Amino acid sequence: MGGKSLSKDFTQGNIARQLFFFAIPFMASNALQVLYSTIDMIIVGEFVGTPGLSAVSQSSQIVNFATMVCLGFSNAGQVLLAQALGAKKRKEMNDIIGTLFTFVSVIALIFTCAMLCAQRWILDTMKIPSESYDMARDYLVICASGLIFTAGYNMVSAVLRGMGDAKRPFLFIGIASLVNLVLDILFTGILGWGVAGAAWATIIGQAASFVFSLFYLFRKKESFGFDFKAQSFAPKWKYVGMIAGLGTPMAIQSGCINLSMLVVNAMINEIGVVASATFGVGVRIDDIVNKISQGIQYAAVPMISQNIGAAQLDRSKKVVRVAWIYSAGLTIFFMVLYVTLGKQLFMIFSDDPLVHEMSGEFIKAILWMFPAFSMMRGSGAFIQGIGNAKLSMVLALLDGVVLRIGLSWLFGIYLGWGFFGFVLGYGLAPYGYAIPSTIYFLAGKWQRRRALAENI
């Protein structure tokens, strides 16, 4: 293979140092990705008001459901690539990448058709407030139409992560964020297109990022390891089966978590548009915190996968422990920030005093979530890295369906705690993933599993 390889070898060297510097671009990329959608809400809140905030928060959750399912299959490809790289099986990587590109593109197109055909049924089921309904529909239709670009960017980024490249995904999402910011101001603010303008800005930004990433990879195809020939995009059934087998539980995992958020949103929507907007803003702020710390998990997964593929179990375990230390530090920092400046953060998104007043209830409830995410960064990365997708799916169902929906209903409706109860149930649910995954890692029975790389 000619040229300088884009891949990195994590099977040797200082793990703490490697994880720190590998995670920084992912944390920055995730921060920009959240900023991408946060910009929409800030500008919509300024120019459209509380109904617009509700519309964007609700419809973006619907599109995120489809995006996260596609991301589940992309992450499956990432794990396969990382284990193949760790096992020095570079020849097979071209077939894995080509199959992944086609597979995820087909899934994205299926979701686009489904959302466009069932748009009214989806919005009615979500119980969107009447003040926000038409704007939510505009946002959903436009963003659903551009899902192929969102899925495409995430797919390219997953491939690069699997090869140990964190810098290029940061560059690509930076392009999307810049384009989105400029067009948001132009479409929503200056031209007065409202929520539809924010949706168009989002999709055009994602399209620019995806096209630029493909152009870059084509220019660097020798060092990237994929030849971009037409026949290379033809699915190889061996890898279709592996991506589907590993990716289906991951997609169900990602989809269930987002589906549960839609159900909780529907419960909160019945309280009214202020509660809907407050929850939407709060989840967006929480997403900033979550995604930044998630950069540690994104970095840990390929490091664990490579070492599992190379049969270096002790190094894999050390990656998990270092990830726990780093994520604990971030958790403490963000909890202090939330307690001291939480209300001010809400004021960035909305000038509605009713939203500001309700934000205190959200903050008191959501703080319970932070320690769980800290635990998941290490143990969750480990389960993904070793390719135990079925366990990950079971734990996600426990988190996303049984606990997130069940606890929100218990606290919010059955016990009558209202908005605070809904958010508290939402915040406690991740312990259903965090605690069992940590026990699984510490128990050590996973050491008897065969590496996926043996079958590649």
Side-chain angles (χ1 to χ4, degrees):
M1 187 186 300
K4 182 181 177 182
S5 176
L6 294 179
S7 62
K8 289 184 179 179
D9 184 1
F10 292 118
T11 59
Q12 54 188 339
N14 185 288
I15 290 176
R17 187 175 186 277
Q18 287 175 337
L19 183 58
F20 179 81
F21 286 105
F22 191 39
I24 287 176
F26 284 130
M27 293 166 68
S29 296
N30 286 353
L32 280 177
Q33 201 160 15
V34 176
L35 178 63
Y36 193 95
S37 53
T38 299
I39 288 170
D40 285 347
M41 295 194 67
I42 292 175
I43 293 178
V44 166
E46 175 67 25
F47 291 100
V48 184
T50 299
L53 280 175
S54 174
V56 172
S57 65
Q58 304 299 311
S59 289
S60 63
Q61 289 293 341
I62 298 168
V63 178
N64 281 345
F65 169 76
T67 300
M68 294 306 292
V69 171
C70 293
L71 183 60
F73 290 109
S74 295
N75 286 341
Q78 171 190 322
V79 172
L80 290 177
L81 283 170
Q83 290 206 18
L85 183 62
K88 311 300 181 186
K89 295 185 176 182
R90 289 184 172 271
K91 182 179 178 181
E92 290 80 357
M93 291 172 65
N94 188 77
D95 290 340
I96 295 173
I97 293 171
T99 301
L100 181 66
F101 269 49
T102 303
F103 189 100
V104 173
S105 297
V106 170
I107 296 296
L109 291 174
I110 291 172
F111 267 109
T112 292
C113 293
M115 286 189 288
L116 292 179
C117 292
Q119 54 184 274
R120 290 192 177 276
W121 177 84
I122 294 171
L123 294 174
D124 290 343
T125 302
M126 282 286 296
K127 301 177 182 177
I128 304 295
S130 58
E131 305 96 315
S132 307
Y133 190 94
D134 289 340
M135 291 183 285
R137 182 169 175 264
D138 289 342
Y139 196 92
L140 175 61
V141 168
I142 295 168
C143 288
S145 300
L147 179 64
I148 186 68
F149 302 120
T150 310
Y153 159 75
N154 285 324
M155 175 176 56
V156 172
S157 295
V159 168
L160 289 171
R161 287 197 301 269
M163 298 176 69
D165 187 346
K167 295 180 181 178
R168 276 78 184 185
F170 174 64
L171 172 64
F172 301 148
I173 195 61
I175 293 170
S177 298
L178 180 61
V179 172
N180 184 54
L181 172 61
V182 173
L183 294 183
D184 249 331
I185 295 172
L186 174 63
F187 294 161
T188 305
I190 298 175
L191 298 180
W193 291 1
V195 166
W200 280 114
T202 296
I203 290 305
I204 294 172
Q206 290 170 342
S209 178
F210 179 48
V211 170
F212 189 89
S213 67
L214 283 182
F215 177 74
Y216 172 83
L217 294 180
F218 182 78
R219 290 284 303 272
K220 300 287 184 179
K221 59 185 178 183
E222 290 187 2
S223 53
F224 177 51
F226 182 65
D227 57 22
F228 278 90
K229 293 180 180 178
Q231 60 266 32
S232 294
F233 288 97
K236 308 299 186 293
W237 294 112
K238 173 183 178 181
Y239 298 121
V240 168
M242 294 185 75
I243 291 170
L246 182 60
T248 298
M250 289 186 176
I252 292 174
Q253 171 192 352
S254 301
C256 280
I257 291 174
N258 274 269
L259 181 63
S260 68
M261 292 178 67
L262 294 177
V263 175
V264 175
N265 264 313
M267 295 181 193
I268 292 174
N269 286 340
E270 293 201 86
I271 299 176
V273 70
V274 174
S276 175
T278 304
F279 186 71
V281 171
V283 168
R284 186 68 62 203
I285 295 171
D286 174 61
D287 203 27
I288 297 172
V289 175
N290 178 27
K291 284 295 197 300
I292 291 175
S293 67
Q294 197 174 55
I296 297 172
Q297 183 171 339
Y298 279 0
V301 170
M303 291 181 67
I304 293 167
S305 294
Q306 280 194 27
N307 284 289
I308 290 290
Q312 299 197 45
L313 302 186
D314 287 340
R315 283 184 62 85
S316 298
K317 290 189 285 186
K318 189 173 181 180
V319 173
V320 176
R321 296 189 183 103
V322 174
W324 273 337
I325 294 171
Y326 288 161
S327 58
L330 277 176
T331 295
I332 293 171
F333 170 78
F334 283 124
M335 288 183 75
V336 172
L337 182 67
Y338 230 132
V339 170
T340 56
L341 297 174
K343 189 172 183 178
Q344 285 75 10
L345 293 174
F346 275 79
M347 293 172 69
I348 295 174
F349 290 85
S350 174
D351 57 3
D352 189 337
L354 296 177
V355 171
H356 301 164
E357 181 180 347
M358 190 171 281
S359 67
E361 293 184 59
F362 183 94
I363 294 169
K364 286 188 294 184
I366 205 65
L367 285 173
W368 291 95
M369 179 187 285
F370 285 40
F373 277 139
S374 179
M375 296 167 64
M376 290 170 61
R377 296 305 168 231
S379 57
F382 182 77
I383 292 176
Q384 278 190 295
I386 65 173
N388 195 341
K390 292 181 180 178
L391 175 60
S392 189
M393 179 186 68
V394 170
L395 296 183
L397 289 171
L398 179 61
D399 168 354
V401 178
V402 177
L403 294 181
R404 197 179 302 264
I405 296 175
L407 291 178
S408 294
W409 175 85
L410 174 66
F411 297 143
I413 297 177
Y414 184 77
L415 295 179
W417 294 359
F419 183 75
F420 174 82
F422 289 129
V423 180
L424 181 62
Y426 174 87
L428 291 176
Y431 287 97
Y433 194 106
I435 294 175
S437 63
T438 300
I439 293 172
Y440 174 78
F441 169 74
L442 295 176
K445 292 184 178 180
W446 54 269
Q447 297 185 55
R448 295 196 292 266
R449 287 179 57 87
R450 294 178 60 190
L452 294 171
E454 295 179 20
N455 301 318
I456 293 175

